[in-house]
Amino acid sequence: MTALASSWAAFTVHAALFLRPGGRLGLVLPAELLSVNYAAGVRQFLMERFRRVDLVMFTERVFPGVLEEVVLLLAEGYDEGPAGHFSVYQARNSSELNDLNLSHTWTPLRPGEKWTASIMGADALTAYTAMTSHDAFVSLEAWGDTTLGIVTGNNKYFTLSPAKVAALGLKQRDLIRISPPGSRHLRGLTLTSPALKRLGAEGAATYLFRPAKTPSPAGWAYIGEGEAAGVQEAYKCRVRDPWWRVPLVRPADLFITYMNADTPRITTNRAAVRHLNSVHGIYLAEQNVEIGRELLPLAALNSVTVLGAELVGRAYGGGMLKLEPREADRLPIPGPGTVTAVADSLRQIRTRVANRLRRGDLTGAVAIVDEVVLIGGLGISPDAVSSLRDARNVLAARRLARGAASGDRR
């Protein structure tokens, strides 16, 4: 358990020891209370044990010279819970505390669930809740299984570019085609065999050294180089026999990026290659394979999904948005029925969206998909869609700001 996680756990213990029935609690807390996984126990404690919980959020820094964002927590009626919901108040800074206006109330689906959604304005919260509580949107888990990729123990040794393969004289029986390490190449809608070939020609590692049975003479020589460099001493290598035979995962139907500066991307694996643990693989349920492989990466570029990514993911170093498989499972995605209903329209916009993504214009790509999926397909008003976009931009800006602030502290 991290020091911060231990601090949150200690908070619940001390509060339970010193509060009396009917008691009140008032604290200034880091804004991370709203979103970090290790504060789930605190959120659950507050929602279950108090009759009423209020949060005051600030749009400006409250303490001069302090970079940490804070919230004001007010709870009353200890041991008279559960609260059921909490009220959110917005203030510019501490000078407005005497004249607070209720922004909205919010009810978490589960007591310990992240409170990030409470930051959204009332209009966005209403639209988001309406979409995600309706079968038009489902969790990604409803489409199939999301899993980790191949763990080599030493990517620098095991992943090879075509040029290095040629220089080493390795044979096809020594190698397996892979999506290169990282996810920069997975920002479009598909990964195709021609695209993989181009990546390899540019020096990307598109092969995994993984002899299936007996290595070629060149393969044995490369194994000797690895042992001379001590590669076999890495933990993942020394616990397998032989150390150079990396455990595989089968090629996924789709890839989903899990470290993101903007938002997670879903990409169709047209090249039918395996993936490393720098991305996750999505294995579609049999009934979803055809429509999912073709159109899910496109349909997922909508304002509900990109907002949902900010809510279910976690902020990581430098403001990156990280999505582990369990979090990806909860990502709100248009359901199979929704995608099927707008399939023809999605096919018509594919080229336009792909061109936007190629230029790095995520906002423009999402706007095009919104017109088809949200406005045209589900009848959401343009104003409601605009509120969803604004809410996502606010959450993303807060994430990036926290990342910049933590970088300054380092």
Side-chain angles (χ1 to χ4, degrees):
M1 181 180 290
T2 66
L4 282 172
S6 299
S7 298
W8 287 121
F11 167 86
T12 60
V13 172
H14 283 87
L17 287 174
F18 292 104
L19 281 167
R20 296 179 178 179
R24 297 179 177 180
L25 185 67
L27 291 170
V28 177
L29 294 172
E32 65 182 11
L33 165 74
L34 305 175
S35 59
V36 293
N37 289 338
Y38 49 74
V42 178
R43 296 189 290 265
Q44 183 171 347
F45 172 80
L46 293 169
M47 297 303 296
E48 290 182 346
R49 300 296 291 273
F50 286 89
R51 172 172 42 84
R52 174 173 175 168
V53 178
D54 295 334
L55 280 180
V56 180
M57 300 183 183
F58 302 95
T59 57
E60 297 180 358
R61 302 287 185 188
V62 176
F63 302 109
V66 177
L67 295 173
E68 188 71 59
E69 285 188 81
V70 299
V71 295
L72 180 59
L73 169 71
L74 305 168
E76 61 182 56
Y78 179 66
D79 261 353
E80 296 175 356
H85 67 272
F86 60 85
S87 299
V88 180
Y89 297 83
Q90 293 280 352
R92 186 167 54 87
N93 52 41
S94 58
S95 67
E96 296 185 355
L97 289 177
N98 291 325
D99 190 26
L100 289 174
N101 293 313
L102 177 67
S103 174
H104 56 271
T105 61
W106 189 65
T107 303
L109 293 177
R110 293 173 294 275
E113 183 174 319
K114 294 179 182 180
W115 292 359
T116 317
S118 64
I119 300 171
M120 295 191 294
D123 291 343
L125 187 57
T126 298
Y128 182 79
T129 302
M131 285 297 97
T132 54
S133 60
H134 189 272
D135 59 6
F137 273 77
V138 299
S139 64
L140 180 57
E141 189 175 28
W143 279 91
D145 296 326
T146 301
T147 67
L148 296 168
I150 296 169
V151 179
T152 68
N154 187 325
N155 281 355
K156 187 175 181 180
Y157 173 81
F158 285 102
T159 64
L160 306 165
S161 68
K164 188 166 185 180
V165 165
L168 293 170
L170 296 172
K171 305 302 181 185
Q172 285 301 310
R173 72 173 190 259
D174 298 320
L175 305 166
I176 286 175
R177 289 200 314 160
I178 57 168
S179 174
S183 62
R184 186 172 298 178
H185 59 290
L186 298 175
R187 298 292 156 173
L189 299 174
T190 60
L191 176 65
T192 63
S193 291
L196 193 70
K197 186 175 181 179
R198 286 194 298 271
L199 287 166
E202 294 167 0
T206 56
Y207 287 102
L208 177 72
F209 179 69
R210 205 278 186 184
K213 294 181 180 178
T214 303
S216 69
W220 281 119
Y222 190 55
I223 290 169
E225 289 183 26
E227 290 176 343
V231 175
Q232 76 280 8
E233 298 301 325
Y235 172 70
K236 290 294 183 179
C237 297
R238 70 174 184 264
V239 298
R240 61 186 181 230
D241 184 24
W243 67 265
W244 41 264
R245 185 164 292 145
V246 176
L248 300 178
V249 299
R250 62 187 175 90
D253 296 304
L254 307 163
F255 299 130
I256 180 169
T257 57
Y258 88 104
M259 293 293 286
N260 306 276
D262 46 29
T263 198
R265 308 295 182 87
I266 297 177
T267 305
T268 302
N269 181 18
R270 295 288 182 199
V273 292
R274 290 175 168 86
H275 63 287
L276 303 174
N277 66 336
S278 49
V279 297
H280 303 321
I282 301 174
Y283 299 88
L284 295 167
E286 184 177 355
Q287 68 274 18
N288 297 329
V289 169
E290 185 175 352
I291 192 75
R293 282 174 58 86
E294 181 189 7
L295 295 177
L296 191 59
L298 190 57
L301 289 170
N302 67 83
S303 288
V304 173
T305 299
V306 297
L307 173 55
E310 298 291 336
L311 301 176
V312 303
R314 69 182 79 172
Y316 202 63
M320 298 292 283
L321 181 63
K322 186 176 182 180
L323 208 64
E324 297 289 1
R326 284 188 302 174
E327 295 159 341
D329 282 343
R330 298 171 52 214
L331 189 67
I333 298 284
T338 302
V339 176
T340 300
V342 296
D344 289 341
S345 297
L346 285 172
R347 294 183 184 106
Q348 291 173 13
I349 64 170
R350 174 183 287 277
T351 300
R352 292 171 57 205
V353 172
N355 288 338
R356 294 277 187 168
L357 294 177
R358 197 172 295 115
R359 297 198 297 267
D361 183 9
L362 174 65
T363 300
V366 170
I368 295 170
V369 176
D370 281 346
E371 287 288 340
V372 169
V373 175
L374 301 185
I375 297 173
L378 298 176
I380 304 177
S381 72
D383 287 344
V385 173
S386 180
S387 72
L388 292 169
R389 292 175 188 163
D390 291 343
R392 183 266 167 184
N393 291 338
V394 167
L395 294 180
R398 288 172 66 94
R399 167 170 55 83
L400 294 169
R402 288 197 302 273
S406 63
D408 290 341
R409 286 196 293 271
R410 287 193 297 271

